[in-house]
Every structure is written in C-alpha cells, then in structure tokens.
Amino acid sequence: MWSADEVAGLCYTHYSTKLPKQGKPDPNRQWTLLAAVVKVESATEREACLNVGNLQVTKEVVAMGTGTKCIGHARMRKTGDILNDSHAEVVAKRSFQRYLLHQLWLAASHQQGSIFSPGTESGKWKLKPHITFIFFCSHTPCGDASIIPMTKPEDQPCELVSRKDPTRHSAECSGNHDPVGPENKRKMEETARDHVIKRIKTVIGDSTCEVTERIAAQYVPGNQQNIQDTDPSCSEFITDGQREILMCAKETGLIGTKVMDVYRTGAKCVLGERDDARRPGVEYHHVGLLRVKPGRGDRTCSMSCSDKLARWNVLGCQGALLMHLLQHPVYLSAIVVGKCPYSQEVMRRAVIERCQHISFLPDGFHVQEVKMLQSNLQFKHSRHAIQTAHANGKAKLVPCGAAISWSAVPEQPLDVTSNGFKQGTTKKGIGSCQTRCGGGPGSVRWNFSMYSKG
C-alpha cells in the first residue's frame, strides 16, 4: 500500500517544491528539522467491489512544519499570540489541526470532498473509514525516543564522558542540574580515581557475561540465545550493575554487540522527576522519564516531542477544541522517521509502552498501536547532511532560527515565524491580529469561534 521511503520522498518533494525559500536554512551554515502529516485515502467499500484487483491508494501531504527552537518561560504570553514551541513536530501538528478544522467546515457546509461524515451523535462528526494519517519526521523526536544505544563512538553528537575526565560533558546535552558544587566535584574526582576496569565473569546458563563497570564501552558477549532466554530482572547470578547493562542490551536488541554509549538528548527531566545519572556510557540517561525542551538560559515549559507524541497517541491529534465537534479522536496510523540514528524498540518505548498503564479513559480514547517505520532517505537540510556536505569547512553550523508552517487550507496556508512571532513582526505590532500565526493558539481559537457561529 505504501512504504517508508515513499512517504519520506513525498514529504521531501513537497518541502522542495511547495515551500518558499523564505524560512529555509542557509545550506552553507544552517540545518533544520522537518515534520509532516500525510493523508492516505484508500478505496471505499463500493469502489473496492467495482474495481477488484485495481485498487487505488492516494497519498497527500496535508500539513508540514519545520523548526528547531523553543521560547523560554519568561517570554510566554497568555494572549496566544506567540508560539511557545516551534519544533518541527509541534508546528506540523498545529498545521494539521488547521486542516482538520477546515475539513469540518466543509462537512458542516455540505460541500464535497470533506474527510468527515456525520456521526451517530447529533452535531458530531467522524473520520471516514477509508482515510488514515501518517506522521513523518526527518529525525527521531527529542526526549526519550532519542536515547538510543550507539555502537560507534564517532557518531555521538555530544561529547563522550571519558575515563580520564568524567566531569567533562557537552553543555548542549546537560541535564537540569545545578553547577557542580564542591561536594559533587569531590565525589566525581573519587569516581575518576576508581575508574578501573572490573571484569566480572558470571555464568548465565552456558554463557559467560563479561561486564565492564563504569566505563563508556559496555560489552555483552556470550551465547546470544542463552542470554535472550535469561530474565535480567530476576536472575540471582548477576549484580545490579550487570543487570542494568544486560536489560539495556536486551531491550534494544544489541545482545552480543559492543555498546559504546547512548545518543544523548538535550531535553531535561521535568522538575520533581527523577534526574539523569550522567554517568559515563550507557548510564548517562535514565529512560522513560518526562522531559522539557532545553532553552538558552531561561528554562522552557514545553514538553519534549517524544512526550507530546506519546500524548497524541492516547488523546488524538485534534486537540481539545476540535474534540467538541468530533465523535472520536483523530489518531495517527503510523509514524515514519527519516534516515538518522534510530531504534524501533526505543521509539515504541517512548510513544506506546510508557502509556500502556493508563486506564479509565473516556469512551473512544485508547492507547493507539501506531505502526513505526524508518526510511532510508535522508533530509537534505538535516544536521548530518549539512555536516557531511561541509566536512572540510570552517564555518560553524547552527540550527535555523526560522520555522515554517504549511497547511492544506485555502486561506493563509503558509506562515514563517521567528522567535515565536510572524517573521517581520515589530515590537509595536505584537498582539495585533495581523501578526498572529495561522497555526498559533490565538488564531485556532478565533477560527473555531467562526466555525461555531457559522
């Protein structure tokens, strides 16, 4: 019906041909992220009966977003005229909500081509059964889904914590810790002195598990089948340190391979939540935690894209306002990720498994078993693509400061924003209707009120 490469190619083509140059990164020194929603429309039951063996499936990009920035707490506004979160995934989701609202207006106006049909409840609408939506993102979402075991140290986008200097780490990837105080510094220095390789051989079935404690390189050798059959959480033959390493390897399918480190996320654990251990190697992060996006100085209040995707996978992508008009939530049927560091198990943990304990949801809501796939096609303006193209260049590569929002709607389909406002907005113009983004909270509320009056 469709493939991951087909979806990625469709999104990349749309980005290149439908979006203007304004808001896109300078390929000589900037990179950005891309996300989109693709509508998949299969044949209806009637068409399937009439055209057996020649079923047509149409795919169309209906929402798209780019961006890498997020504003801090101090710059947030209650009036809804600023975008707090301009990461590509969130911008695309807002654009998708604009598309859904327009489709609801078409249905309520009895016009042709709407994706909705009347529901069984009065005044409510439901998605037509032959229509589904795929979410595409050019990179794994920030937060929990980005904490992926790595087997090549050179692939680490953040600096490795070495045995010789365990206190050294990239500021970009630091957790929500206070600056290292004298007591913590002393403890870390003691850790450095004790940083010796301890090889502990433990018999697990017929295999030998050789564990290297407190170093960046962790190895889980031995007979793969025997280790797979062992439950690390309850084995009486292994220590706590070995158990954590073995659990990590088993969950990510890396039994028998050398796990050098984990790809780190800049997203910080929420206040009051368990914090990252920041130990060398695979123990740098704790997984499964709620995180907020990093900010420059001023802490943000925006949850990581992994957390937001997990929420959308339970509550739907329509938002609270549109739910007043819908009989059922609008769920994603699949998530496709572009070529980048990726783990199917980690994505599933971040988006689905963390929410499986949720119960007592309202009728129609559930934890969606969303399909997850990765494409082999790389986004041309991704960080890795730009770095590769300018490997010998001296210019510092930086994330693009602008964000693009595009939606398949007839009025104002495109917005380019910077620092949360429409590009070109002056201080005097802040707060006016003319400077509001089409996908911003203020505009969405206004459009919803117009729909309700109509």
Side-chain angles (χ1 to χ4, degrees):
M1 194 161 119
W2 57 266
S3 67
D5 284 353
E6 190 178 1
V7 171
L10 183 67
C11 294
Y12 295 156
T13 300
H14 188 95
Y15 172 83
S16 299
T17 59
K18 302 293 184 181
L19 269 57
K21 186 177 180 181
Q22 182 188 13
K24 290 181 180 178
D26 177 352
N28 293 316
R29 62 183 186 90
Q30 293 180 325
W31 56 271
T32 193
L33 300 174
L34 174 71
V37 178
V38 176
K39 180 184 74 170
V40 178
E41 187 170 359
S42 56
T44 63
E45 290 184 11
R46 181 175 177 276
E47 291 171 337
C49 292
L50 295 175
N51 300 286
V52 178
N54 189 29
L55 299 180
Q56 295 294 320
V57 176
T58 60
K59 294 168 286 295
E60 176 191 4
V61 176
V62 296
M64 180 167 281
T66 71
T68 63
K69 300 293 186 177
C70 188
I71 68 169
H73 175 265
R75 296 188 55 222
M76 295 175 67
R77 295 167 62 91
K78 295 181 180 179
T79 50
D81 54 5
I82 188 171
L83 293 178
N84 300 330
D85 190 343
S86 293
H87 278 218
E89 294 92 334
V90 180
V91 175
K93 188 252 192 179
R94 287 189 178 279
S95 300
F96 182 49
Q97 288 178 328
R98 289 193 66 206
Y99 168 77
L100 293 178
L101 184 56
H102 174 66
Q103 292 295 314
L104 282 168
W105 180 83
L106 289 178
S109 304
H110 306 289
Q111 297 190 39
Q112 296 293 321
S114 174
I115 62 173
F116 294 106
S117 60
T120 55
E121 298 179 32
S122 177
K124 296 290 184 77
W125 303 88
K126 63 181 180 180
L127 189 66
K128 291 179 179 178
H130 61 285
I131 293 176
T132 57
F133 295 102
I134 302 169
F135 192 85
F136 171 79
C137 45
S138 61
H139 198 277
T140 46
C142 65
D144 199 57
S146 290
I147 306 175
I148 302 167
M150 62 187 301
T151 57
K152 296 180 181 179
E154 64 271 17
D155 287 345
Q156 176 63 281
C158 304
E159 193 174 350
L160 283 172
V161 182
S162 68
R163 266 196 299 154
K164 294 181 180 179
D165 188 5
T167 65
R168 192 176 173 204
H169 61 279
S170 169
E172 182 181 351
C173 298
S174 60
N176 58 335
H177 290 262
D178 294 326
V180 178
E183 184 178 352
N184 288 336
K185 188 174 182 180
R186 176 173 51 79
K187 289 180 179 179
M188 296 177 87
E189 289 172 350
E190 291 173 358
T191 300
R193 285 195 297 270
D194 294 334
H195 231 263
V196 295
I197 299 176
K198 299 178 181 179
R199 299 187 182 276
I200 304 171
K201 294 185 177 180
T202 306
V203 176
I204 304 178
D206 296 328
S207 64
T208 300
C209 179
E210 183 173 86
V211 180
T212 302
E213 294 184 335
R214 291 183 179 179
I215 62 175
Q218 311 287 3
Y219 185 52
V220 187
N223 183 289
Q224 189 167 347
Q225 181 61 41
N226 290 338
I227 296 179
Q228 289 279 18
D229 294 339
T230 303
D231 185 357
S233 63
C234 60
S235 175
E236 60 182 340
F237 299 108
I238 57 177
T239 65
D240 290 340
Q242 291 171 297
R243 182 176 292 110
E244 188 168 345
I245 295 167
L246 193 55
M247 284 288 285
C248 178
K250 185 172 182 178
E251 288 176 1
T252 56
L254 290 172
I255 292 291
T257 62
K258 193 173 186 179
V259 181
M260 300 300 298
D261 204 335
V262 290
Y263 287 96
R264 298 176 193 160
T265 178
K268 304 176 181 180
C269 300
V270 299
L271 293 175
E273 186 61 281
R274 183 187 183 190
D275 211 344
D276 285 321
R278 297 206 304 176
R279 296 178 187 139
V282 297
E283 298 181 17
Y284 188 90
H285 283 302
H286 289 305
V287 299
L289 303 182
L290 296 174
R291 298 175 181 272
V292 292
K293 293 183 170 77
R296 291 186 175 272
D298 185 20
R299 187 182 181 90
T300 78
C301 292
S302 298
M303 301 301 292
S304 72
C305 290
S306 293
D307 296 332
K308 289 190 175 185
L309 270 169
R311 182 177 67 191
W312 304 340
N313 199 50
V314 178
L315 302 179
C317 292
Q318 73 290 326
L321 278 179
L322 268 63
M323 197 61 219
H324 289 287
L325 308 173
L326 296 172
Q327 188 167 331
H328 303 295
V330 177
Y331 288 109
L332 300 169
S333 64
I335 298 175
V336 175
V337 179
K339 186 177 181 180
C340 66
Y342 177 85
S343 167
Q344 184 84 355
E345 293 79 10
V346 171
M347 275 290 292
R348 181 173 174 81
R349 176 195 72 209
V351 178
I352 301 175
E353 293 177 358
R354 290 193 296 165
C355 300
Q356 286 182 329
H357 68 282
I358 296 175
S359 56
F360 302 108
L361 289 168
D363 290 342
F365 291 87
H366 61 273
V367 180
Q368 173 84 337
E369 275 292 329
V370 62
K371 186 178 181 181
M372 296 180 185
L373 296 168
Q374 185 186 26
S375 168
N376 290 315
L377 304 181
Q378 187 179 63
F379 179 42
K380 68 178 182 179
H381 286 159
S382 69
R383 183 176 186 174
H384 185 267
I386 300 299
Q387 283 178 335
T388 303
H390 299 83
N392 299 322
K394 295 182 179 180
K396 182 182 178 181
L397 300 181
V398 295
C400 180
I404 305 174
S405 168
W406 180 90
S407 182
V409 296
E411 296 182 11
Q412 195 183 339
L414 183 75
D415 267 324
V416 180
T417 60
S418 180
N419 296 316
F421 291 109
K422 250 187 182 180
Q423 204 167 55
T425 298
T426 62
K427 287 186 178 180
K428 188 176 179 180
I430 291 176
S432 65
C433 294
Q434 289 77 14
T435 61
R436 283 183 174 175
C437 308
S443 294
V444 171
R445 289 197 294 267
W446 186 85
N447 289 331
F448 180 82
S449 65
M450 291 299 100
Y451 169 91
S452 301
K453 290 177 183 177

